[in-house]
Amino acid sequence: RPRVFSGIQPTADSFHLGNYLGAVRHWVALQDTHDAFYCVVDLHAITAGHDPALLRQRTRVAAAQLFAVGLDPERSTLFVQSQVPEHPQLAWVLGCITGFGEASRMTQFKDKSQKQGNERASVGLFTYPVLQAADILLYQANAVPVGEDQRQHLELSRDLAQRFNSLFGATFTVPAPHIVKDTAKITDLQDPTAKMSKSSSSPAGIIDLLDDPARSAKKIRSAVTDTGREIVFDAETKPGVSNLLTIYSALSGRGIDDLVAAFAGRGYGDLKKELAEVVTEFVRPIQERTRTYLDDPAQLDKLLAAGAEKARSVAGATLRSAYERVGFFPPV
Ligand code: ATP
Ligand code: MG
């Protein structure tokens, strides 16, 4: 079976609808057809400053949510990145074949470091995409389900795999992005030209899976919509309404055309009201299941430890062959 790998940062108290629709729902779908490895990337989550107790808590909540939306520990391997030391070990090697200029061109680094100020931005934030490449290459992943914002990082992962292979001999599978266009960029409710983001959206711009549905309904009601009054899909001229339609369609399974027809002659208020109901229905069972996992943290940690063990058996083999090719001594 082909392999998939993907990761998500525990940088917030909940995942938002962008994370779910752009990435995580594909993780769930792919576990039926692929050998699937998924990771809560806590090493990535310390690149922009963090609180230790909060990080540990968010890592658990992240894992609980992933199980709650349908990841099945029998069919896929879910683990916490810091429990698999091969990730930073391979990242060092890949960092040594990454150009400084090449890394400097990563737009996520440029955006995030600009927000933090150049003096405050960490070296970890700079090498983030190198660690991400290590994450993916350790599992010899064929495909990586992510949102559109990760396309450039995946291109770097591919380049590094090819470069290593040509320098030292065939070692890594070259991974392909798995980006499903319809929902690859869910936008901020308050700024429908920017992506919905854990770290840079304002709370009003994000719909969290674990938010109180009444609060989400309020955010949807206050979402920025566009001039005019017609409900039509046009991401260029009507980014706000189009984003709401995208979310509605993805959560309900109804086609965009079907929705546009159903809302003909009706106003933005109606769309927002119905969408709030759809979101409420969607998040309710997820929230319940998340709570159930969090009620038994010892059991949750055990599932994750088992995941890490499975992950290490694959990652360890890849790292050993990479180290050998690079010319390092055998492990003792
Ligand atoms: P941060 O702002 O801290 O980077 P994030 O919201 O971008 O957080 P990540 O953990 O970095 O979340 O990304 C997890 C996955 O969610 C990635 O595959 C990413 O491409 C996807 N993703 C994030 N935001 C969106 C979005 N608005 N639309 C679609 N996919 C998204
Ligand atoms: Mg991100």
Side-chain angles (χ1 to χ4, degrees), residues 231-304:
I231 295 175
V232 289
F233 188 93
D234 184 338
E236 292 294 311
T237 60
K238 293 210 165 212
V241 170
S242 300
N243 191 42
L244 298 180
L245 285 169
T246 297
I247 297 171
Y248 193 143
S249 168
L251 292 183
S252 66
R254 291 172 64 182
I256 299 270
D257 291 346
D258 175 23
L259 292 176
V260 168
F263 281 104
R266 299 164 66 195
Y268 293 159
D270 282 357
L271 171 64
K272 290 174 166 179
K273 187 159 166 288
E274 270 192 35
L275 176 59
E277 285 161 14
V278 167
V279 168
T280 301
E281 286 313 300
F282 180 76
V283 298
R284 204 195 310 274
I286 294 175
Q287 295 187 356
E288 266 165 36
R289 287 195 292 270
T290 303
R291 270 195 296 275
T292 308
Y293 280 102
L294 290 174
D295 280 344
D296 192 350
Q299 172 60 21
L300 182 62
D301 291 5
K302 231 161 78 187
L303 282 175
L304 293 169

Side-chain angles (χ1 to χ4, degrees), residues 155-168:
E155 201 48 52
L156 179 71
S157 297
R158 289 169 59 83
D159 289 346
L160 292 178
Q162 277 158 345
R163 191 171 307 156
F164 187 101
N165 289 348
S166 71
L167 285 169
F168 304 115

